[in-house]
């Protein structure tokens, strides 16, 4: 399978450019810790995962859940003060919503079994 291109470039090239821009901003502008740079880049990578999943029509649900996890990590890194319980509830809601959507998109390879006759 060929890697999808976005604006004529591979996703890895766009992610590399984004990572360099984050580092430039950190070096010459806003003070951003290495941990925060890594988190921002993780969110960008997860977002690119969604774009790739859309382009190749495969694995969109997993990409969305990964993006939600990365976005939550970024929020926590930026000062979002949520307990582990709140984080778990949000991720559970995202996972269930994606699962419900996935269920409408998937077709079984084999037909369902007929119920057994009752006496």
């Amino acid at each position: 399978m060929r890697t999808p291109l976005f604006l004529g470039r591979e996703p890895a090239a766009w992610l590399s450019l984004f990572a360099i821009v984050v580092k430039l901003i950190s070096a010459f502008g806003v003070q951003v810790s290495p941990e925060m740079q890594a988190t921002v880049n993780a969110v960008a990578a997860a977002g690119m995962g969604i774009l790739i999943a859309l382009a190749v029509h495969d694995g969109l649900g997993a990409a969305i859940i990964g993006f939600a996890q990365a976005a939550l990590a970024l929020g926590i890194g930026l000062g979002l003060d949520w307990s582990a319980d709140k984080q778990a509830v949000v991720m559970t809601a995202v996972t269930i919503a994606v699962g419900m959507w996935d269920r409408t998109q998937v077709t079984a390879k084999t037909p369902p079994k007929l119920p057994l006759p009752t006496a």
Side-chain angles (χ1 to χ4, degrees):
M1 173 186 277
R2 187 166 179 252
T3 302
L5 301 179
F6 298 102
L7 300 174
R9 300 286 183 262
E10 290 186 354
W14 287 112
L15 287 172
S16 296
L17 176 64
F18 183 80
I20 293 299
V21 169
V22 169
K23 289 178 184 177
L24 284 169
I25 290 171
S26 178
F28 296 105
V30 181
Q31 282 295 339
V32 180
S33 70
E35 293 82 15
M36 185 55 61
Q37 289 179 37
T39 305
V40 168
N41 286 326
V43 172
M48 186 59 76
I50 290 176
L51 290 176
I52 292 169
L54 283 169
V56 300
H57 307 289
D58 189 27
L60 183 58
I64 291 171
I65 291 170
F67 179 78
Q69 289 173 331
L72 183 59
L74 177 60
I76 299 299
L78 291 173
L80 182 64
D81 188 21
W82 281 3
S83 67
D85 291 343
K86 283 185 180 179
Q87 294 174 47
V89 168
V90 168
M91 285 310 303
T92 299
V94 169
T95 303
I96 289 172
V98 168
M100 290 182 72
W101 176 80
D102 268 350
R103 182 71 177 105
T104 66
Q105 308 301 310
V106 177
T107 305
K109 292 184 179 186
T110 59
K113 292 182 180 180
L114 296 174
L116 295 174
T118 58

